[in-house]
Amino acid sequence: MSTFTEIHAVAEQRSALNARLRSLLVEGLELPIDAQMIEDDQPLFGRGLELDSLDTLEIVSLVEEEFEVYITDDDKSVFGSINKVADYIVANRPRP
Amino acid sequence: MSTVLTAAQILRRLPHRHPFVMLDAVTELVPSHSGAALKNISISDPVFAGHFPGEPIYPGVLLIEAAGHLCGLVMADLDEPAAPAIGYLASVKRFRFVTLVRPGDQVRIRATAGTRFGGMTDFSVALTVNGADVASGSLVIALPNS
């Protein structure tokens, strides 16, 4: 069973990952918004952040460069939100 | 330098026709990965009638188009298809032109595939003349229905 300290540490790591992802998207895609304005469950495409398919390719590239995680064609649902991208990174990032 | 694809073989793999046949020969081709090609710049090219009268300079936008054709060949099937697939130029990013291209130049084009997702492939391309950088940047090519 995890202790409160361990759970707190995991939550902090996840919060930092989401924050890094928000910054990465805003900087990499040159979005005209403040990164902190993106909510963790906000849709990235359609009426969310209004990203398009070209942005998808850019996100794949950004995530690969930053986290050494490659998103494949089979995983298009990954782009649903910041939380979904973060889930994918946590599940697939190389272990130290 | 050996020729991997002649002009006639290029025509069988790409859908483009005159006046939009941009490559004279392919010298290297690793399908889905990379390629290199030659483009000879001739004063006979009708584009020089207007670009520019008395000062012929090959248009940068056509250098991008030529690089796009090489990207299309890298993405194409190695075997000659019955009907060449049309790849769409989806994005031109961070392109820089550092040297003018003039009649008499032979442009060497190199394209290397990078990230791919959802039928789109990001290519890094570099163009040189006599070893000197002419232009470089990245292109995204999209294949429909893939």
Side-chain angles (χ1 to χ4, degrees):
Chain A
M1 183 179 293
S2 300
T3 65
F4 173 78
T5 306
E6 288 169 338
I7 293 171
H8 186 68
V10 169
E12 281 199 334
Q13 285 174 8
R14 178 53 181 255
S15 178
L17 172 59
N18 284 18
R20 180 67 197 120
L21 269 175
R22 284 193 292 270
S23 299
L24 201 63
L25 260 59
V26 168
E27 292 164 15
L29 302 179
E30 299 180 359
L31 301 178
I33 57 172
D34 186 333
Q36 294 179 347
M37 297 296 288
I38 304 175
E39 297 174 16
D40 287 341
D41 291 313
Q42 179 178 354
L44 300 181
F45 293 86
R47 299 192 63 171
L49 277 183
E50 298 187 345
L51 303 185
D52 60 26
S53 55
L54 267 176
D55 294 319
T56 311
L57 187 67
E58 195 67 37
I59 294 171
V60 171
S61 178
L62 290 167
V63 168
E64 186 179 15
E65 285 175 18
E66 180 78 13
F67 303 103
E68 297 179 53
V69 171
Y70 188 75
I71 303 170
T72 67
D73 267 357
D74 301 330
D75 304 306
K76 288 178 180 161
S77 64
V78 171
F79 302 101
S81 66
I82 289 288
N83 261 336
K84 288 188 175 176
V85 179
D87 286 344
Y88 188 87
I89 291 169
V90 170
N92 292 280
R93 73 186 345 171
R95 303 293 171 204
Chain B
M1 181 176 300
S2 61
T3 296
V4 175
L5 293 179
T6 63
Q9 290 170 318
I10 292 170
L11 284 172
R12 288 198 284 271
R13 286 172 169 79
L14 290 179
H16 309 74
R17 291 297 177 263
H18 176 78
F20 246 60
V21 178
M22 293 288 173
L23 302 177
D24 292 292
V26 171
T27 56
E28 293 176 41
L29 188 61
V30 181
S32 300
H33 180 267
S34 62
L38 300 177
K39 173 165 186 58
N40 297 311
I41 308 296
S42 169
I43 189 62
S44 297
D45 193 320
V47 75
F48 290 122
H51 200 276
F52 298 94
E55 180 67 21
I57 297 170
Y58 198 74
V61 69
L62 294 184
L63 293 174
I64 291 176
E65 180 69 22
H69 289 203
L70 176 58
C71 296
L73 288 168
V74 171
M75 293 173 76
D77 292 332
L78 191 59
D79 296 328
E80 292 178 16
I86 297 179
Y88 299 114
L89 183 58
S91 172
V92 178
K93 294 183 295 183
R94 295 184 290 275
F95 237 90
R96 300 180 60 171
F97 299 89
V98 295
T99 307
L100 295 177
V101 174
R102 299 180 183 278
D105 286 343
Q106 182 177 65
V107 183
R108 295 176 189 273
I109 309 169
R110 173 164 291 282
T112 306
T115 306
R116 63 192 73 204
F117 189 86
M120 291 183 293
T121 304
D122 195 354
F123 282 90
S124 294
V125 301
L127 296 85
T128 60
V129 171
N130 291 330
D133 293 339
V134 165
S136 61
S138 69
L139 304 176
V140 174
I141 305 293
L143 285 181
N145 304 321
S146 61

